[in-house]
Amino acid sequence: MTKPNDSGPSSKPTSGREAGELGLVATPIGNLGDLTPRAADYLKAADSIACEDSRITIRLLQHLGIKKPLLSYHDHNADEMRPRLIERLRRGEKIALVSDAGTPLISDPGFKLVREAAAQGLAVTALPGPSAPIMALILSGLPTDRFLFLGFLAAKSAARRSELEEVAALRASLILFETAPRLVAALGDLRAVLGDRPAAVARELTKMFEEVRRGSLQELLDHYTEAGPPKGEIVIVVGPPLPAAEADAGDLDAALLKALAAMRVKEAAEAVAAASGLPKRQVYQRALELKQAQERDPERGDD
Ligand code: SAM
C-alpha cells in the first residue's frame, strides 16, 4: 500500500510538460459515482497526490485502482510542506491536490499553495466537481443570485452571534457548515440574530439518507429541538433578510411580493407575518390573493 511521504521518487512529469502543474481535483462528498472521468484521468496521470488524510484518499484511489505516492498536506503541516510541493512542481511534477471530500480549498487547505504556485508562474488548473455548499444552496429553494459562504461559525454561542451580526444586513443567502451536535444551538442563534427567515438544513448530500428540510428558522429550530440532532454531515442555508422596512411601514403587498419571489405561499406568509407582527391568517390570505393574481398575470412578480 502506498504510504504518505514527501520523499518518494521524483518521476518525470507524465503530462509531457517541461514545468509541472498543480491540479485542484474535486472528489465525491459521499457518492463515489460523482468523481468525474476527467478527475479520475488526472489522478491517474499525476506524479503524486497531495491529500489531507491519506487513509481517506487511499480508499478513493483503491476504488479507482490507482496507486500513487501520497504527500500529506493539511492545516498542521501546510507551512512546512508548501515549499516542498512548490519545489516538486518546479522540477516538473504534476501534482493533484485533493481534500478529504468535495472541492479542495473550500473550507479545506490549499489557497496558499495556489497563491504561491501562481506567484512563481507555475501552472495551476482545476478539475471541478462536487461541493457541499453549492449543492445545499441549489437544493434549498432559496435565492441563488447572491450568496455568502460562511464556512464553519464559531463553536461558542456569543462568538457565533457576533459573526452573524456582521452579515445580518447583507441581501444575500447565507451558507454555513454545522456539526450535528451543535445544530440546535446554531439554529437558535440564527433565529435570534437574523429573525425568522426562510432556511434549509441539508444533510448527507449524495448519500443514501440525503435529506433537505426547508422551513422558517423557527420551524427548523422547533423540529430539531423536538427530534434531536440528526445524523451526518450538515449544511445550513438561510435566505436573505425579509423586506422588513416595507412590512413595518404597513406595505404588506410589497413585502409579500418580494417574499413570494423566493418562497412558497405558506413560507412567505409566515416570514412576512413574523417580520411585520401582523396576524398570520391575514397575511396568509393576502399572500394567496397575490399569488393567484400573479398566476393570472405572471408579469406581476419579479421571479
Ligand atoms: N471542501 C468540501 C466541499 O467542497 O464540500 C467541504 C469541506 S468542510 C471541511 C466539511 C463540511 O462540509 C462538513 O462538516 C459538512 O458541513 C459539509 N459536508 C461535506 N459533505 C457533506 C455532505 N455529503 N452532506 C452535507 N454536508 C456535507
Side-chain angles (χ1 to χ4, degrees), residues 29 101-103 106-108 131-133 152 177-178 202-205 207 233-235:
I29 56 171
T103 298
I106 302 300
S107 275
D108 277 332
S131 195
F152 287 99
F177 291 153
E178 197 44 273
R203 64 178 197 94
E204 294 293 87
L205 296 172
K207 303 184 197 175
E233 299 195 278
I234 293 171
V235 183

Side-chain angles (χ1 to χ4, degrees), residues 29 102-103 106 128-144 146-150 173-177 202 205-206 212 235-237:
I29 56 171
T103 298
I106 302 300
S131 195
I134 294 297
M135 182 165 170
L137 174 68
I138 64 175
L139 286 174
S140 68
L142 297 166
T144 52
R146 275 179 164 215
F147 58 89
L148 177 66
F149 172 54
L150 297 169
S173 294
L174 305 175
I175 310 174
L176 49 138
F177 291 153
L205 296 172
T206 78
V212 181
V235 183
I236 304 175
V237 187

Side-chain angles (χ1 to χ4, degrees), residues 3-297:
K3 286 210 183 102
N5 71 77
D6 182 47
S7 55
S10 162
S11 51
K12 280 195 179 154
T14 47
S15 58
R17 290 166 193 263
E18 278 183 22
E21 183 178 84
L22 175 64
L24 313 172
V25 181
T27 59
I29 56 171
N31 190 324
L32 288 176
D34 290 336
L35 189 89
T36 68
R38 198 158 82 88
D41 286 346
Y42 200 90
L43 292 172
K44 279 179 196 146
D47 295 300
S48 51
I49 298 173
C51 62
E52 280 187 277
D53 183 337
S54 56
R55 292 164 301 184
I56 292 175
T57 300
I58 280 171
R59 281 207 293 273
L60 175 70
L61 297 182
Q62 278 174 344
H63 170 76
L64 296 169
I66 299 175
K67 266 194 168 186
K68 289 283 164 180
L70 296 186
L71 311 170
S72 164
Y73 191 75
H74 51 67
D75 284 340
H76 305 292
N77 73 357
D79 288 343
E80 186 195 329
M81 285 300 293
R82 200 173 310 116
R84 299 193 202 177
L85 295 182
I86 293 289
E87 182 47 34
R88 282 172 173 258
L89 292 169
R90 294 184 71 82
R91 290 203 303 257
E93 278 196 36
K94 180 171 179 172
I95 301 179
L97 175 73
V98 299
S99 60
D100 287 347
T103 298
L105 281 79
I106 302 300
S107 275
D108 277 332
F111 102 84
K112 290 182 182 169
L113 182 61
V114 171
R115 182 173 65 185
E116 186 59 27
Q120 299 213 17
L122 295 162
V124 183
T125 190
L127 292 294
S131 195
I134 294 297
M135 182 165 170
L137 174 68
I138 64 175
L139 286 174
S140 68
L142 297 166
T144 52
D145 54 339
R146 275 179 164 215
F147 58 89
L148 177 66
F149 172 54
L150 297 169
F152 287 99
L153 295 182
K156 296 228 164 89
S157 178
R160 196 158 55 216
R161 286 188 180 214
S162 62
E163 285 176 345
L164 289 171
E165 271 151 20
E166 281 177 30
V167 298
L170 290 179
R171 297 217 156 265
S173 294
L174 305 175
I175 310 174
L176 49 138
F177 291 153
E178 197 44 273
T179 61
R182 282 208 295 263
L183 178 64
V184 169
L187 287 171
D189 288 337
L190 287 162
R191 167 73 180 89
V193 177
L194 305 178
D196 196 14
R197 297 188 193 177
V201 172
R203 64 178 197 94
E204 294 293 87
L205 296 172
T206 78
K207 303 184 197 175
M208 187 181 295
F209 297 106
E210 175 178 305
E211 179 189 48
V212 181
R213 184 168 287 274
R214 304 173 186 88
S216 72
L217 281 169
Q218 186 64 53
E219 286 168 343
L220 293 169
L221 177 59
D222 291 345
H223 171 79
Y224 288 109
T225 303
E226 200 186 317
K231 289 202 169 68
E233 299 195 278
I234 293 171
V235 183
I236 304 175
V237 187
V238 183
L242 295 163
E246 285 117 306
D248 284 345
D251 191 349
L252 179 60
D253 283 7
L256 276 173
L257 283 170
K258 280 201 182 171
L260 283 168
M263 296 171 236
R264 294 193 304 254
V265 172
K266 182 169 174 281
E267 290 157 353
E270 284 176 353
V272 173
S276 65
L278 290 168
K280 264 192 196 171
R281 186 176 297 187
Q282 177 195 335
V283 179
Y284 183 69
Q285 185 54 41
R286 186 63 190 143
L288 267 183
E289 289 167 9
L290 289 172
K291 186 74 188 171
Q292 283 159 1
Q294 270 182 345
E295 280 163 1
R296 281 195 302 272
D297 175 10

